[in-house]
Amino acid sequence: MTAIAFTNPDDAQYIETEELLRKVLTPFSKELHVLRGSSEEQFKSFIDLLEKHKLKDLMLISHDAIPTPGTLKLLTNTSDESTRTLVGRLTRESIPDISVSRKFVENGESLEMNGVRSGMLIVSKEDIEQLKVTPMSIFKDRSGKSGVSPFDFIFQTLVQESAVSIVDGRDFVISRYLTFKDKREHFESHVMNGDEEALLRKAAVKDWDNLWTSIAVSPWTQYVAFWFSKRSITPNQVTIGSFALTLFAATAFALNNFWLNVAGAILVQLSFGADCIDGQLARMIGKFSRLGAWLDWMSDRIKELLLAVGLGIGSVTAGNSWDMCFAVLMIFVLRSAVNESFEMHRSHSVPSDSVQSRPLGFIGLERKVKNFITLPYGNRMGLISICIIVFDADMTLWILFLWSAFAATYQLLGRTLRGGGAKTVSTGILRDDGPITNWLQDRLPKVYGELSVFAFISIFLLLWLLTSKWILALLAVIGLCIASFPLVSRSIWLGPVFTCAAEFAVFWSAFLVTDEKYHWIFVSVLLLSGISRVMISTGLRFQRLSAHHSQRFSWEERSALMLVTLLVWPPLSLLVGLLLLIKMKKSLRHQIRALHLPQ
């Protein structure tokens, strides 16, 4: 990375400033250019440098900035490869001078300042090309009227013309100084005493996480991640270890013994801890990869399904039925479908005239309460560990079902009533439609998602209350028909949720009217169907992974085969599981192959 530092034309100690910069930047930048002279001369030198060198990444440093090893690591050790700047949080001594919304610097005079600019900026290759064609006359006009420095002009230009993302400075003191004396004092007080390692360790932990993670996991995982960062241990190795620990935990739950349940609870926490460590380790060492992100996201979704099955086996060996295990699996997969589709369609734009009065890093009480009642992944892991020790596998499944069902209903109804996702994007792959549904989508009239939501809730209630095989089959067919209707743009994000619900309505119908000795087959097929949907949604998160997605054996084909098993012979559903395994194997090979393609 090439670094360009601007200087203060009135600074008589520019030589000392340059020596300090070279000392700090050596591990991060192979080349440093220090620009001197008037503001116009420095801006002209900057444009000349861009034209003479083919730069991939560029770091710009303002004349009043003081980079340190810690702040430079924060800025460089990130998975964000776009143009980005380090932003400090407000303190009693700091004066806000930047507006931040979500993850970006906002442009607009009506926005309230809620952060502190660091004076450090990394410019992507695309924005470097844009800066090359910036006319000198525009800078002269701006500089003459407001006395803006070259760095500030470049920063404001990028904010207006493109998007500048932020890197949160967290507990680091972000400030700017005009004199070398102030810069040296800041450097000595915040670097020489060695407190930056502790700040970097804390910064590797997510800014704010769910309750269980914050009180029971993050306090110790940051130290393990820091220890790993000093050794040749990779985040992917930690992710694989986390998955293995979950398999052992699920096996312990399946054996249904008090002490094995205790061991399983400990393994769940170790597994979840490792799941936190892999991300913390990646942030500490700046080692990110598409394969690592793909592996981490997919393993998280699959692990909780495996734990539910382990609890289900333990419950059945104690004389209970498969009902709760089946219900919990359905809820987990449906919640995943709701979250994935909503995020894919949600508009992240912020109105230009909005007022950002909350300081960077502020988490309101309302968000904390919502996060708790919706039972996110970390809290689910904590709940499983506590309940399996205090109660047993069956009661743990009951608690998981009741809380997860409430959370899923709360999220689904809330997002549906307020319009859900605002972006109109293709949902075909996430829906997992087959040829029949694709044909119907172009011919059926559009319907409101709100009506379909209440229709599906009614169908599941009736499925729970009725016992006639033919009535259940009819209700399942009605669900399949509802899921095939196209939706108005306001609720188009619900499409993947409806196909998931329709498929599971068929599974649930078959489960309810067949002999208990076959229930393990339906649970196994539901598990494989859930993993198949997880693989589709995970692939969509990464570039190119959906380019050659095969929709053979879609949700409608799985549902049709399950209807046959409902009406003819339950063991036929093993065929569904076999076909799912074949499809999953092909999808897995395609995704891994696509991960190694250049972006």
Side-chain angles (χ1 to χ4, degrees), residues 11-291:
D11 185 6
Q13 293 181 291
Y14 61 84
I15 296 178
E16 292 86 345
T17 300
E18 181 175 342
E19 290 178 351
L20 179 61
L21 283 175
R22 292 192 183 279
K23 176 182 177 182
V24 177
L25 288 170
T26 298
F28 304 93
S29 176
K30 296 180 180 178
E31 190 176 6
L32 171 64
H33 299 273
V34 180
L35 307 183
R36 302 188 183 92
S38 66
S39 294
E40 290 185 11
E41 290 172 338
Q42 290 187 45
F43 186 76
K44 186 178 184 305
S45 299
F46 169 72
I47 298 298
D48 291 342
L49 280 172
L50 297 187
E51 293 175 346
K52 292 177 181 178
H53 297 75
K54 291 183 178 181
L55 304 174
K56 182 180 180 182
D57 285 309
L58 175 65
M59 180 186 294
L60 302 182
I61 302 170
S62 177
H63 69 278
D64 53 2
I66 174 60
T68 67
T71 54
L72 287 169
K73 284 183 179 179
L74 280 183
L75 191 57
T76 56
N77 288 2
T78 173
S79 58
D80 186 359
E81 296 182 353
S82 64
T83 295
R84 59 194 182 273
T85 185
L86 184 68
V87 176
R89 294 185 176 182
L90 300 184
T91 63
R92 291 181 179 179
E93 295 78 19
S94 62
I95 300 175
D97 60 358
I98 193 172
S99 298
V100 176
S101 179
R102 292 195 178 99
K103 295 182 179 180
F104 297 95
V105 178
E106 286 297 313
N107 178 35
E109 295 181 358
S110 62
L111 297 174
E112 289 188 9
M113 305 298 184
N114 60 348
V116 179
R117 183 173 59 83
S118 68
M120 292 186 287
L121 178 70
I122 291 182
V123 187
S124 66
K125 183 178 180 181
E126 293 76 12
D127 286 336
I128 291 174
E129 296 301 318
Q130 177 185 325
L131 290 175
K132 284 182 180 179
V133 296
T134 304
M136 184 71 183
S137 58
I138 297 180
F139 173 73
K140 287 182 179 180
D141 183 60
R142 290 278 304 278
S143 178
K145 289 181 179 179
S146 58
V148 65
S149 67
F151 179 91
D152 289 340
F153 172 79
I154 295 166
F155 182 82
Q156 293 168 9
T157 299
L158 292 176
V159 170
Q160 292 171 359
E161 301 294 334
S162 58
V164 176
S165 61
I166 69 160
V167 176
D168 191 346
R170 302 291 291 273
D171 294 331
F172 281 84
V173 176
I174 305 297
S175 189
R176 301 188 306 281
Y177 304 97
L178 290 175
T179 67
F180 174 73
K181 177 183 177 182
D182 292 334
K183 292 179 180 179
R184 184 177 59 189
E185 289 179 353
H186 174 89
F187 188 86
E188 291 177 351
S189 63
H190 293 91
V191 178
M192 304 304 289
N193 59 8
D195 63 349
E196 285 205 327
E197 279 196 353
L199 294 176
L200 284 169
R201 189 180 66 240
K202 293 179 180 178
V205 178
K206 288 183 180 179
D207 181 26
W208 182 83
D209 222 321
N210 56 73
L211 180 63
W212 181 258
T213 307
S214 300
I215 65 175
V217 181
S218 294
W220 61 270
T221 56
Q222 58 180 292
Y223 292 96
V224 179
F226 186 75
W227 188 83
F228 283 172
S229 69
K230 302 298 182 181
R231 288 151 182 85
S232 56
I233 298 175
T234 67
N236 287 352
Q237 291 172 338
V238 178
T239 302
I240 294 172
S242 174
F243 193 86
L245 289 170
T246 297
L247 289 176
F248 290 132
T251 303
F253 293 155
L255 295 175
N256 191 37
N257 173 279
F258 173 77
W259 291 110
L260 285 175
N261 286 342
V262 173
I266 296 173
L267 288 170
V268 167
Q269 291 311 299
L270 291 176
S271 172
F272 181 54
D275 185 50
C276 296
I277 289 169
D278 59 9
Q280 294 167 5
L281 178 60
R283 287 185 284 275
M284 285 182 184
I285 63 178
K287 190 172 184 179
F288 301 92
S289 67
R290 296 172 72 217
L291 176 63

Side-chain angles (χ1 to χ4, degrees), residues 341-342 344-347 415-416 418-427 441 445-450 485-496:
S341 187
F342 181 79
M344 179 181 294
H345 293 80
R346 183 171 65 160
S347 174
R415 292 171 176 177
T416 301
R418 71 172 182 261
K423 290 195 300 182
T424 302
V425 298
S426 174
T427 57
Q441 286 275 309
K446 293 183 178 181
V447 299
Y448 289 95
E450 293 87 344
F485 275 85
L487 299 168
V488 297
S489 58
R490 182 175 185 269
S491 52
I492 193 173
W493 72 276
L494 285 165

